[in-house]
Amino acid sequence: MASVIQTAKAGSVVLKNVSVEDGTTSSDIIYDAEIPGESLKRHPLGVRPSGNALTADQDLSLSMGIFGRLPDSLVLLLLEFLDQKALLRLSHTCKGLFAFATHDQIWRELALRDIDSELFWRGTWRSSLLKRTVRLPRVKCQHLYSDALYRPFQCTNAPLEPFTVDIPKHNHIPKLKDLSVDEFAARWSDKPFVLTEPVKAWKVFQDWNEEKLLEAYGQVQFRAEAVDWTLSNYVEYMNNNQDESPLYLFDRGFVEKMGLEVGEDGAYQPPECFAEDLFMLLGEHRPDHRWLIIGPERSGSTFHKDPNATSAWNAVIRGSKYWIMFPNSVTPPGVYVSDDQSEVTSPLSITEWLLTFHEEARQTPGCIEGICGPGEVLHVPSGWWHLVVNLEPAIAITQNFVPKSHLGSAINFLKNKPDQVSGFQSTIQNPYALFMDRLQEAHPDLYESMQAASQKKRKWEDVVAASDDDEGADRGGFSFGFGDDDLEDED
Ligand SMILES: O=C(O)CCC(=O)C(=O)O
Ligand SMILES: [Fe+2]
């Protein structure tokens, strides 16, 4: 078995007499990830990008048997079918498969496949699943050439700052001190902007930091993507992980779980200009509309539009977020949308998108970007695309709402995209009918004008369809202000 000796390199330890079946010798294995002065660009096992194979005189994949003949991404995909035991065994067969079978993304997939909320975070997914802190032997794999292994490492370690500086002048998201309801309705409900003042008066802005949250809510479970973890476990994860796309705490039940009061004199209060919210008419049946968001650097949200054609505000309590946004009609570079907009495909990780498409995006007309810092709140108008990345560990609250100016969009969405409507309790069979009933009851005039706009639009579309039949002409692009620029009436 292995005996351990200190080496000349400070902080690292070499294993002696390790029996690894491909002939790895003691000098092939180094313990400890921290080697002072080592370039961040170097993969911990020395794995290099695929292109290096072209000029290489050695290639570890030649000793990987059948696996060595498959594309590296397919090897990773196949390994996702294995369990812990099989992965451990495979990792002992040769250096190349050691690198693949210890790749932490595989262990993350394994953990998330059958997630256990009791899973205690130990720095890597592999250690957490094995229930002990296992420091990975640093088998030298500099003759393994694999983008599938190298790229996630590169993305995890790519600095984000270069993407956030030198924002072209016309791309800047405007910053305002505060806005009244009337100013918002008259000029701003279609534009992203940042308010710099109102959040600074919130109790949670004064109170919330990692320490205090842990003290008060450390044992409360919150939702982080597919996992329900205690806040204390999530914070352990947040402060010590190497995931390319870290799990993001995004909890819709935080107000109840934390026993918060919302409103004047409460823990927080929506800024005045966002107070008008017609989905409030749905009362306890309104779809999910507020979330606590916590995440480390690199965590964030890939490109999406907010649900049910709602608008949103996003208030940063701690940390900072970089936002890049596009209006409804401009699909961001690198994002592919199905005709009915029900499916959005884009690179899996935010950093991958930034590395590949950011430069082009910045030059795309309509692009708008900026950083939202602590105490600031950003407005996302209905229908706008946005990608958000945390530049440092961040705590935020977001809330979705329907201002009068986007009521048409929300109604049209509920009516014409029932398969894409989200966040309602499953007992609500017909969100559209429920909302229209409530609207008619509370605001008969508004209800009538929405109905009239809808009918006008339908008539116009009949005319266009008839003339298209006659002339084969394309006459899209006109709307009667029903606020539904990209929503086709599909009934
Ligand atoms: O903070 C974030 O990651 C952004 C969340 C988001 O998409 C939103 O608030 O609409
Ligand atoms: Fe969003």
Side-chain angles (χ1 to χ4, degrees):
M1 277 272 75
S3 64
V4 179
I5 57 163
Q6 294 291 334
T7 68
K9 281 185 189 168
S12 66
V13 169
V14 170
L15 272 190
K16 272 291 214 189
N17 309 330
V18 174
S19 59
V20 176
E21 286 163 27
D22 68 343
T24 308
T25 63
S26 59
S27 61
D28 284 330
I29 297 180
I30 307 171
Y31 259 81
D32 204 346
E34 295 298 326
I35 296 182
E38 191 179 39
S39 159
L40 267 180
K41 286 268 156 54
R42 195 177 170 277
H43 184 279
L45 302 179
V47 175
R48 286 185 278 174
S50 301
N52 289 265
L54 296 173
T55 54
D57 52 5
Q58 286 183 56
D59 190 341
L60 285 185
S61 65
L62 297 177
S63 58
M64 282 169 49
I66 182 86
F67 287 107
R69 304 224 290 273
L70 302 175
D72 54 353
S73 50
L74 183 55
V75 175
L76 281 184
L77 209 62
L78 289 173
L79 263 52
E80 281 179 21
F81 288 91
L82 303 184
D83 60 13
Q84 290 184 36
K85 235 183 191 165
L87 281 174
L88 285 174
R89 284 196 184 132
L90 196 66
S91 72
H92 288 138
T93 56
C94 66
K95 286 195 207 173
L97 284 170
F98 175 84
F100 278 96
T102 57
H103 185 54
D104 212 41
Q105 180 70 27
I106 297 287
W107 291 80
R108 171 171 157 150
E109 295 294 331
L110 190 58
L112 295 182
R113 204 187 303 156
D114 186 16
I115 188 65
D116 170 6
S117 57
E118 303 293 310
L119 187 86
F120 177 69
W121 182 251
R122 292 170 199 267
T124 65
W125 289 97
R126 189 166 173 269
S127 290
S128 308
L129 273 183
L130 295 173
K131 297 192 169 45
R132 60 200 156 87
T133 305
V134 264
R135 281 193 295 172
L136 203 59
R138 300 182 79 200
V139 175
K140 284 184 180 173
C141 293
Q142 71 270 40
H143 299 300
L144 184 62
Y145 311 102
S146 164
D147 284 344
L149 294 179
Y150 184 81
R151 189 70 173 166
F153 161 78
Q154 187 187 23
C155 285
T156 298
N157 291 288
L160 295 171
E161 200 239 16
F163 302 108
T164 68
V165 294
D166 301 328
I167 298 178
K169 228 178 177 175
H170 51 273
N171 281 20
H172 278 275
I173 299 176
K175 289 205 176 186
L176 314 166
K177 276 200 155 164
D178 206 350
L179 273 186
S180 68
V181 190
D182 291 344
E183 285 168 322
F184 175 70
R187 289 202 294 127
W188 290 95
S189 66
D190 266 326
K191 298 186 187 112
F193 58 84
V194 169
L195 298 181
T196 58
E197 295 310 311
V199 170
K200 291 177 183 156
W202 290 0
K203 278 208 183 84
V204 296
F205 182 70
Q206 317 299 330
D207 287 356
W208 279 4
N209 57 36
E210 193 182 296
E211 220 169 80
K212 287 196 181 156
L213 283 177
L214 278 178
E215 209 178 290
Y217 309 104
Q219 293 318 306
V220 176
Q221 282 199 347
F222 291 91
R223 173 49 68 110
E225 300 184 23
V227 190
D228 283 309
W229 265 349
T230 60
L231 185 64
S232 106
N233 203 30
Y234 181 77
V235 169
E236 281 291 320
Y237 167 83
M238 167 159 123
N239 292 337
N240 181 21
N241 81 83
Q242 285 296 306
D243 284 352
E244 178 186 356
S245 303
L247 286 183
Y248 207 16
L249 189 153
F250 223 100
D251 193 288
R252 62 183 177 184
F254 74 101
V255 168
E256 296 77 12
K257 289 178 186 179
M258 299 166 96
L260 304 180
E261 294 287 334
V262 181
E264 217 178 334
D265 299 328
Y268 76 92
Q269 175 180 29
E272 185 200 339
C273 67
F274 305 130
E276 180 185 64
D277 177 4
L278 286 152
F279 266 9
M280 281 200 293
L281 295 175
L282 288 164
E284 60 178 10
H285 297 310
R286 75 175 297 167
D288 300 333
H289 67 293
R290 57 190 177 199
W291 288 266
L292 170 68
I293 306 176
I294 304 181
E297 181 185 353
R298 289 192 313 285
S299 62
S301 307
T302 54
F303 268 113
H304 67 281
K305 292 179 178 182
D306 271 11
N308 308 321
T310 54
S311 299
W313 53 259
N314 182 301
V316 177
I317 314 288
R318 294 286 170 269
S320 62
K321 292 171 185 283
Y322 169 74
W323 289 74
I324 182 162
M325 311 175 75
F326 290 87
N328 203 347
S329 53
V330 181
T331 306
V335 175
Y336 305 93
V337 188
S338 62
D339 283 347
D340 67 353
Q341 301 226 358
S342 64
E343 282 172 47
V344 176
T345 312
S346 67
L348 289 180
S349 82
I350 291 172
T351 319
E352 186 77 65
W353 184 87
L354 289 169
L355 287 169
T356 319
F357 296 105
H358 184 260
E359 208 177 315
E360 181 188 343
R362 209 167 234 191
Q363 310 305 328
T364 303
C367 176
I368 175 161
E369 44 181 324
I371 294 174
C372 197
E376 297 186 328
V377 56
L378 183 138
H379 169 238
V380 187
S382 163
W384 275 65
W385 290 101
H386 48 289
L387 173 146
V388 189
V389 62
N390 291 311
L391 303 174
E392 51 198 305
I395 304 173
I397 292 175
T398 186
Q399 192 156 315
N400 287 63
F401 65 102
V402 178
K404 215 180 277 166
S405 49
H406 289 297
L407 178 61
S409 304
I411 291 176
N412 204 10
F413 197 97
L414 297 183
K415 182 180 179 193
N416 295 314
K417 308 233 165 192
D419 53 325
Q420 293 174 42
V421 166
S422 63
F424 281 85
Q425 295 144 19
S426 56
T427 48
I428 309 295
Q429 301 284 337
N430 187 341
Y432 167 68
L434 177 66
F435 181 69
M436 292 311 274
D437 280 354
R438 297 282 171 96
L439 185 65
Q440 188 173 23
E441 228 172 84
H443 301 287
D445 296 352
L446 207 47
Y447 173 84
E448 291 304 333
S449 65
M450 284 295 126
Q451 293 291 64
S454 170
Q455 270 163 19
K456 246 183 184 173
K457 182 174 182 290
R458 180 106 37 91
K459 274 195 195 136
W460 169 256
E461 279 168 356
D462 289 347
V463 173
V464 171
S467 77
D468 275 357
D469 285 349
D470 290 348
E471 305 163 23
D474 177 8
R475 305 246 185 113
F478 183 82
S479 126
F480 279 102
F482 198 59
D484 55 351
D485 337 41
D486 74 330
L487 300 173
E488 292 142 38
D489 225 339
E490 283 164 352
D491 57 353

